[in-house]
C-alpha cells in the first residue's frame, strides 16, 4: 500500500492554503487616485515618463476619487485640452477595474480609427509597464475571439473599444463600466430614435446596479452634448486661492493679462508681449505669476458644486489650470486668434474658445441695415405686355443694395 510522505503532505497543505488565500483575499481598498500613484508607470505616450503623480494634475484627484465612490454612478467632465483627463480617468480607470474590481468595460471613441489607435498604442504600455496588470490580459501574440484589437478578455470580464461610427457593436455588449471620450465628437449620423451613441452606450450598463459611466469632452457646437449633460449635473468648478489675499475664485480668461506697447497718440496696441502673461486676482488685483505661484495655487484648489444635490457628478476644468501649458502660450494663441478674427477668419477663435476655455462661441455675423435698404426703394410702373402670362423676379444681394431683375414669360417660354 502506497502512502504520501508526511513532509509532502505538509507542503501540499501549505500550497493549498496559499492558493486559497490568494483567491479568497479581498482586493485592496484603494481609491483610483491611490491605485494610480502606487502602480501606474507612464511610457512613451505620456508627456512626462515615469511613475504617475497627481502633483502633475492635482485637479483630477477628486474626480478620480469620485470614480471609486459607490454613491457616484455617472460622471460628466467638461474639459479643454492638455489637462490629462483621458489618461487620468479613462486609462487609469481601465487599469483599476481590471486589477481590483473586474467587470465588463466598454470604451467609446469618436471613430473606429481612434479606438484602434488607443488599443494599439496606449493599451500595450498600460498592461506592460503597470506591474499589477501583467499577465491579466492576453498579450498581442495571442489571437482569437477573446483577444482582438478592439476586444480583450481578462479574468472577470472583457474590454471592448468601439468607434461611434460603428454603433452596431453596441448591440451585443453589456457592460458594468462605460467610458465615452470626446462626447461631442461622436458621429451624429449614428444617432437614431434611440438617442445618440454615447447615451445608447450608457444604457448597456442598465443591468449593473454598481455601474460607472463617465462622459468626457470639449464642446463642439451650439447643441453641445457635453455642455447639456454638465448643466444637469451638480456643476463642480475648481476654486483656487489668491496667494496675496486668499480670495477663492475660478480662473477665467478675463484674468489673464500681459504687457503691451501702446501708441501714445491713439492708445492702440502696437506690440504684444505674451511671455509676460500673468493672472490678476479679481479681489485684490494682485499679480499672480507663472511658475511657483501658479503651481501652489492649483495644488491647493478645491471643487465647489454650483448645483448641489444633482444625481450626476459634473466637473468643468479649463486649460488655464494646466501645469503642462503656460499662460504665455495661451496669450500667444489668443493674439493670433484675434488677428485672424479681424481678418474675417473665425476658426482660430472658435478653436481657442472650445479647446482652451471649454465653452462654445460663434461669430455675430453682420446684419444688413433694413431701414437703409427700405429707403432706397424705387417704384416701377411699366405696363406688362399682353403676351406675358407669368412674371418672375431674381434678386442679387450686394453689400449695399439689392439688384432686382424682372422677366415676363409667354407661350413657348418666350422671355
Amino acid at each position: 500500500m502506497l502512502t504520501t510522505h508526511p513532509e509532502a503532505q505538509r507542503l501540499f497543505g501549505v500550497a493549498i492554503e496559499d492558493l486559497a488565500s490568494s483567491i479568497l483575499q479581498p482586493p485592496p481598498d484603494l481609491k483610483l487616485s491611490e491605485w494610480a500613484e502606487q502602480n501606474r508607470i507612464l511610457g512613451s505616450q505620456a508627456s512626462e515618463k515615469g511613475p504617475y503623480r497627481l502633483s502633475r494634475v492635482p485637479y483630477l484627484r477628486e474626480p478620480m476619487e469620485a470614480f471609486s465612490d459607490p454613491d457616484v454612478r455617472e460622471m460628466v467632465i467638461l474639459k479643454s485640452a492638455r489637462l490629462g483627463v483621458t489618461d487620468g480617468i479613462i486609462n487609469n480607470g481601465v487599469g483599476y477595474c481590471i486589477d481590483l474590481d473586474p467587470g465588463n468595460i466598454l470604451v467609446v471613441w469618436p471613430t473606429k480609427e481612434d479606438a484602434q489607435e488607443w488599443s494599439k498604442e496606449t493599451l500595450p504600455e498600460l498592461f506592460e509597464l503597470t506591474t499589477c496588470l501583467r499577465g491579466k490580459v492576453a498579450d498581442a501574440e495571442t489571437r482569437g475571439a477573446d483577444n482582438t484589437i478592439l476586444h480583450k478578455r481578462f479574468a472577470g470580464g472583457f474590454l471592448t473599444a468601439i468607434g461611434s461610427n460603428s454603433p452596431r457593436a453596441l448591440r451585443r455588449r453589456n457592460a458594468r463600466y462605460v467610458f465615452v471620450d470626446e462626447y461631442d465628437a461622436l458621429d451624429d449620423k449614428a444617432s437614431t430614435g434611440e438617442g445618440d451613441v454615447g447615451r445608447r452606450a450608457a444604457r448597456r450598463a442598465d443591468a449593473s446596479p454598481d455601474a460607472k459611466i463617465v462622459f468626457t469632452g470639449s464642446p463642439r457646437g451650439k447643441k453641445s452634448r457635453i455642455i447639456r449633460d454638465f448643466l444637469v449635473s451638480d456643476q463642480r468648478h475648481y476654486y483656487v486661492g489668491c496667494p496675496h489675499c486668499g480670495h477663492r475664485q475660478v480662473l477665467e480668461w478675463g484674468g489673464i493679462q500681459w504687457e503691451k506697447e501702446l501708441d501714445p497718440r491713439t492708445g492702440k496696441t502696437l506690440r504684444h508681449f505674451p511671455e509676460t502673461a500673468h493672472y490678476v486676482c479679481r479681489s485684490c488685483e494682485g499679480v499672480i505669476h507663472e511658475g511657483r505661484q501658479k503651481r501652489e495655487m492649483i495644488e491647493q484648489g478645491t471643487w465647489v458644486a454650483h448645483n448641489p444635490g444633482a444625481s450626476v457628478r459634473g466637473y468643468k476644468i479649463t486649460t488655464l489650470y494646466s501645469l503642462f501649458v503656460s499662460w504665455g502660450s495661451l496669450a500667444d494663441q489668443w493674439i493670433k486668434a484675434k488677428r485672424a478674427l479681424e481678418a474675417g477668419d473665425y476658426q482660430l477663435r472658435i478653436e481657442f474658445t472650445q479647446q482652451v476655455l471649454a465653452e462654445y462661441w460663434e461669430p455675430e455675423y453682420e446684419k444688413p441695415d433694413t431701414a437703409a435698404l427700405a429707403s432706397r426703394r424705387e417704384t416701377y410702373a411699366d405696363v406688362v405686355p399682353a403676351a406675358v402670362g407669368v412674371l418672375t423676379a431674381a434678386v442679387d444681394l450686394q453689400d449695399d443694395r439689392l439688384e432686382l431683375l424682372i422677366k415676363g414669360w409667354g407661350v413657348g417660354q418666350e422671355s
Side-chain angles (χ1 to χ4, degrees):
M1 181 176 179
L2 299 175
T3 60
T4 304
H5 191 279
E7 180 62 14
Q9 289 181 332
R10 186 187 70 81
L11 293 175
F12 181 73
V14 170
I16 292 296
E17 288 178 2
D18 289 344
L19 180 61
S21 176
S22 64
I23 294 175
L24 300 176
Q25 183 76 19
D29 185 16
L30 292 177
K31 298 175 182 177
L32 174 57
S33 54
E34 296 168 334
W35 179 90
E37 289 208 301
Q38 289 184 22
N39 297 286
R40 183 82 191 281
I41 303 295
L42 302 176
S44 60
Q45 297 297 307
S47 56
E48 295 182 24
K49 299 179 183 179
Y52 188 87
R53 292 289 177 261
L54 275 166
S55 57
R56 297 178 178 127
V57 286
Y59 40 79
L60 289 185
R61 182 178 297 278
E62 187 190 298
M64 291 172 72
E65 291 177 351
F67 183 84
S68 312
D69 186 340
D71 293 330
V72 177
R73 179 180 177 88
E74 182 173 332
M75 184 160 57
V76 176
I77 303 178
L78 171 58
K79 67 179 184 67
S80 46
R82 301 297 306 278
L83 289 162
V85 172
T86 298
D87 195 51
I89 303 296
I90 296 181
N91 297 340
N92 283 335
V94 166
Y96 175 84
C97 296
I98 292 174
D99 184 35
L100 297 186
D101 201 6
N104 295 343
I105 304 169
L106 178 63
V107 185
V108 182
W109 299 93
T111 68
K112 184 177 181 179
E113 291 73 24
D114 293 329
Q116 290 175 331
E117 181 179 331
W118 178 70
S119 184
K120 291 178 179 179
E121 298 181 5
T122 300
L123 289 185
E125 286 193 347
L126 174 65
F127 297 149
E128 179 60 29
L129 297 180
T130 307
T131 306
C132 61
L133 296 178
R134 288 179 188 167
K136 292 195 173 183
V137 182
D139 59 37
E141 303 301 322
T142 306
R143 284 284 180 261
D146 286 343
N147 184 38
T148 65
I149 292 176
L150 298 180
H151 181 72
K152 302 180 184 297
R153 175 73 63 176
F154 55 86
F158 61 75
L159 168 62
T160 300
I162 71 165
S164 67
N165 54 353
S166 303
R168 286 183 297 176
L170 285 174
R171 296 175 185 171
R172 58 185 185 275
R173 302 294 184 202
N174 289 321
R176 178 181 167 195
Y177 303 103
V178 177
F179 299 91
V180 179
D181 196 40
E182 291 301 341
Y183 190 17
D184 275 9
L186 300 191
D187 190 353
D188 286 326
K189 295 179 182 178
S191 298
T192 67
E194 303 173 30
D196 63 64
V197 178
R199 278 295 150 197
R200 287 158 61 193
R203 289 201 294 274
R204 306 314 298 176
D206 284 350
S208 298
D210 54 353
K212 294 291 180 183
I213 303 166
V214 180
F215 291 90
T216 79
S218 306
R220 296 201 179 192
K222 182 180 292 185
K223 297 182 179 180
S224 168
R225 302 183 186 102
I226 196 74
I227 290 180
R228 174 200 66 195
D229 286 10
F230 175 75
L231 291 177
V232 298
S233 74
D234 63 1
Q235 300 181 29
R236 299 189 178 216
H237 296 261
Y238 199 66
Y239 279 73
V240 295
C242 171
H244 306 294
C245 70
H247 175 70
R248 303 195 68 77
Q249 58 202 294
V250 174
L251 296 184
E252 298 176 339
W253 182 244
I256 297 289
Q257 297 184 17
W258 57 90
E259 295 178 9
K260 305 178 180 79
E261 180 184 345
L262 304 179
D263 186 321
R265 293 180 296 104
T266 64
K268 291 184 177 180
T269 302
L270 299 176
R271 290 181 62 194
H272 292 269
F273 301 94
E275 67 277 6
T276 66
H278 52 271
Y279 198 86
V280 178
C281 173
R282 286 200 299 273
S283 179
C284 70
E285 299 186 350
V287 173
I288 303 169
H289 295 285
E290 282 271 23
R292 183 178 57 83
Q293 282 187 319
K294 175 185 177 182
R295 176 175 289 277
E296 289 181 355
M297 180 175 67
I298 291 173
E299 286 178 345
Q300 297 168 14
T302 55
W303 289 98
V304 177
H306 287 199
N307 184 34
S311 61
V312 175
R313 184 68 64 88
Y315 297 94
K316 180 180 179 180
I317 189 76
T318 74
T319 310
L320 271 66
Y321 293 91
S322 176
L323 298 177
F324 304 110
V325 182
S326 71
W327 289 334
S329 67
L330 297 182
D332 186 58
Q333 291 179 44
W334 171 261
I335 293 164
K336 291 175 181 176
K338 188 176 181 181
R339 287 172 178 164
L341 184 62
E342 291 170 350
D345 183 353
Y346 303 108
Q347 191 57 41
L348 289 180
R349 175 64 185 276
I350 292 173
E351 291 175 359
F352 184 91
T353 308
Q354 294 175 170
Q355 296 299 314
V356 174
L357 305 181
E359 296 174 356
Y360 171 71
W361 178 86
E362 69 175 2
E364 294 184 2
Y365 296 100
E366 184 177 350
K367 298 179 180 179
D369 185 340
T370 54
L373 286 174
S375 69
R376 301 187 62 173
R377 290 178 298 179
E378 297 178 20
T379 300
Y380 295 89
D382 291 340
V383 176
V384 178
V388 172
V390 175
L391 291 175
T392 61
V395 180
D396 183 26
L397 178 62
Q398 301 293 326
D399 289 340
D400 61 347
R401 67 192 185 282
L402 301 175
E403 293 283 355
L404 176 67
L405 175 65
I406 297 177
K407 284 194 173 185
W409 303 86
V411 177
Q413 297 185 7
E414 179 183 4
S415 171

